[in-house]
Amino acid sequence: MVTHYAVRSFRTTFLALFVIGSLTTACKKSGSASDVDPRDQYVGTYAGTSRRTLYVSADIFQGPIPGVSTTTVTKASNAHELYIENTVVYNNGFTGGYTERVTATLTGVNFTVIDKASDQIELPSGKVDSDYTATGVFDASTKQLVYSATARALRNGAQYSRTDEITSAKK
């Protein structure tokens, strides 16, 4: 008789441990940091304003030229990379604009353009080849994007530079 109670007690204990173990290990933990792609919160279309300024030897040559901008952000195929397409149309009497698509690497809320290192600065006397750098930041709380680009060149002893600044809010 003692054996019968011992087997029943062992069986009940084993069954209880099995059920508790199954419940605590069978569920996948949701919301873990490794499952969330940080780029997802920034993907979308942004609308805002732009400003372009041309400098000759650190003096303003032309501008700031105001404009309106539309920026489209999509995920690139590589992790931590985004495609950023800026379309700018100038206003207030200035004509023209531009569209450019670049690839940027995302580090936290900051990004740096990685696939464009040169550009051309348009001057009344023609175009001059320049180096190009661009960076930016996302503000997730206000859903805004700030994009800042600089092109620099040296021609005939004069230093030329162009800055482009875009501030946009997510639509």
Side-chain angles (χ1 to χ4, degrees):
M1 277 260 179
V2 174
T3 311
H4 180 66
Y5 289 113
V7 169
R8 183 182 296 180
S9 176
F10 176 73
R11 183 180 64 194
T12 305
T13 304
F14 176 75
L15 186 59
L17 290 174
F18 177 75
V19 169
I20 291 171
S22 296
L23 291 175
T24 60
T25 60
C27 296
K28 179 183 175 187
K29 295 183 181 192
S30 63
S32 67
S34 62
D35 294 344
V36 178
D37 188 342
R39 300 175 296 172
D40 289 336
Q41 63 188 323
Y42 306 125
V43 170
T45 302
Y46 296 75
T49 60
S50 70
R51 185 172 67 184
R52 173 172 274 188
T53 308
L54 296 173
Y55 298 90
V56 176
S57 301
D59 288 331
I60 292 179
F61 174 70
Q62 183 182 28
I65 303 168
V68 293
S69 66
T70 303
T71 302
T72 304
V73 178
T74 55
K75 290 195 307 188
S77 56
N78 294 331
H80 304 290
E81 288 184 4
L82 296 167
Y83 294 126
I84 299 173
E85 183 173 312
N86 292 315
T87 301
V88 174
V89 177
Y90 299 123
N91 54 24
N92 290 347
F94 295 98
T95 59
Y98 65 93
T99 298
E100 71 177 357
R101 185 173 190 239
V102 294
T103 305
T105 184
L106 182 65
T107 307
V109 297
N110 300 305
F111 63 87
T112 302
V113 171
I114 58 174
D115 66 343
K116 185 175 181 180
S118 63
D119 201 2
Q120 290 186 328
I121 299 174
E122 291 188 43
L123 301 171
S125 60
K127 295 180 181 180
V128 59
D129 292 332
S130 65
D131 64 349
Y132 180 91
T133 57
T135 60
V137 64
F138 290 102
D139 186 343
S141 64
T142 61
K143 297 189 177 189
Q144 288 188 327
L145 156 76
V146 176
Y147 183 96
S148 179
T150 302
R152 289 190 173 96
L154 185 64
R155 181 167 91 176
N156 298 332
Q159 185 170 1
Y160 299 93
S161 64
R162 182 192 71 220
T163 60
D164 291 299
E165 299 161 343
I166 296 173
T167 304
S168 300
K170 197 170 189 180
K171 288 184 179 181

